[in-house]
Amino acid sequence: MSPSALEALIDALRVLPGVGPKSAARMAYHLLQRNRGGAARLATAIHQALERLHHCQRCNDFSEAPMCSLCRNPRRDARLLCVVEMPADLNRLEETQAYRGLYFVLMGRLSPLDGVGPREIGLETLMARAQDGVTEEVILATNFTAEGEATAHYAGELLKARGLRVSRIARGLPAGGELEHVDGMTIAQALQDRRPV
Amino acid sequence: MSPSALEALIDALRVLPGVGPKSAARMAYHLLQRNRGGAARLATAIHQALERLHHCQRCNDFSEAPMCSLCRNPRRDARLLCVVEMPADLNRLEETQAYRGLYFVLMGRLSPLDGVGPREIGLETLMARAQDGVTEEVILATNFTAEGEATAHYAGELLKARGLRVSRIARGLPAGGELEHVDGMTIAQALQDRRPV
């Protein structure tokens, strides 16, 4: 009974992560009923992104140029290579202005249950990138989730086997953190990773 | 630092209901990294839906033709007009095969806090539709939420003022419902709406 263009739209919206049949229908009705201008902008943005965006040949982040502006920047310290899971993580690190080295974006994390192995997240590309002869230290900045930790461990072993110096960003209490309000696992890790003063 | 086509895509994805900046970024990365074919299909589906889908001039549901196939069907009972909030509600009713009349789709519900008043949900169009001289009974099948109830009450008053017969779908225990496992409000309503046997 439903018109076919509507069914096609609802079906197509399900490519979005976390969107099932009911949210897809709700999204389609919303676009068609309340925001046709926004819907047209969305379709155009997808087309243009697919057409223009590729991976930076050096850091694997999304880039419109063959090499992204960060990798082209001669003021960045090429001896430091920071490995992150996703572009959003890179952006968070950049916002802090606390890091002046280069990056490598895995575009994922090891997740064997989802069929994401070392090949899918481009660990081979990372190995080639890290062995450019300039990199002196690889900083693993994947998340402190089970999958992020496994990714850091696996990548760390591979990198060390190639004679590279590898580090992991620190675990511990957050800035301003109070023992009373921080979870036990974080406190245990902060104790374990204590530093001499 | 982010490429502009990526920023435009993340921004455009936020037209989807319930999608904030973080989910929009996650969706964009997913489309670009894991499902470029699906992304292209989504862009095309949006374009085609915008181009082809309009409102049925009779029931206000989405339709590619000026009048939808359900409204054109001569076997439907034109004396019955069932008012629903959304196309998904119409589909649910059709699936039951328990109704042979026609429909009117409000495309929303009264929600003053969100700025959705009688005009936005096309109650004027419903009044015109119901006064076609053929309709004998208007069945209000909006949801039993606060907003759906308010919509039914408001529409019911307007319809009755025009001399139309108006009914509301029944409240009560669901099929197979056990008193022990049904919420108190539903039981109270089932008691209040009890019918002679």
Side-chain angles (χ1 to χ4, degrees), chain B residues 19-82:
Chain B
V19 174
K22 288 203 175 182
S23 350
R26 198 165 46 91
M27 286 176 167
Y29 299 147
H30 176 87
L31 289 179
L32 290 166
Q33 185 65 15
R34 304 238 182 269
N35 201 342
R36 296 176 73 91
R41 216 170 68 240
L42 173 57
T44 306
I46 296 171
H47 268 317
Q48 293 193 342
L50 287 173
E51 197 177 275
R52 293 186 195 164
L53 286 173
H54 305 280
H55 290 288
C56 168
Q57 60 194 210
R58 202 169 182 199
C59 73
N60 199 38
D61 194 3
F62 293 117
S63 170
E64 296 188 43
M67 195 183 289
C68 74
S69 57
L70 198 152
C71 284
R72 285 199 311 267
N73 185 344
R75 288 197 303 278
R76 307 290 302 208
D77 186 345
R79 294 167 299 180
L80 293 175
L81 183 64
C82 180

Side-chain angles (χ1 to χ4, degrees), chain B residues 138-153:
Chain B
V138 181
I139 304 168
L140 299 171
T142 55
N143 292 323
F144 283 102
T145 57
E147 295 175 343
E149 289 275 52
T151 307
H153 178 78

Side-chain angles (χ1 to χ4, degrees), chain A residues 33-34, chain B residues 55-61 81 83-85 104-111 115-130 151 154-155 158-159 162:
Chain A
Q33 185 66 18
R34 305 240 180 267
Chain B
H55 290 288
C56 168
Q57 60 194 210
R58 202 169 182 199
C59 73
N60 199 38
D61 194 3
L81 183 64
V83 179
V84 295
E85 295 180 18
F104 186 86
V105 183
L106 293 170
M107 292 290 174
R109 58 207 70 79
L110 287 182
S111 182
V116 181
R119 196 187 310 266
E120 282 72 25
I121 58 167
L123 281 185
E124 285 310 311
T125 324
L126 167 61
M127 295 309 132
R129 168 68 187 85
T151 307
Y154 191 87
L158 289 179
L159 290 160
R162 282 158 178 80

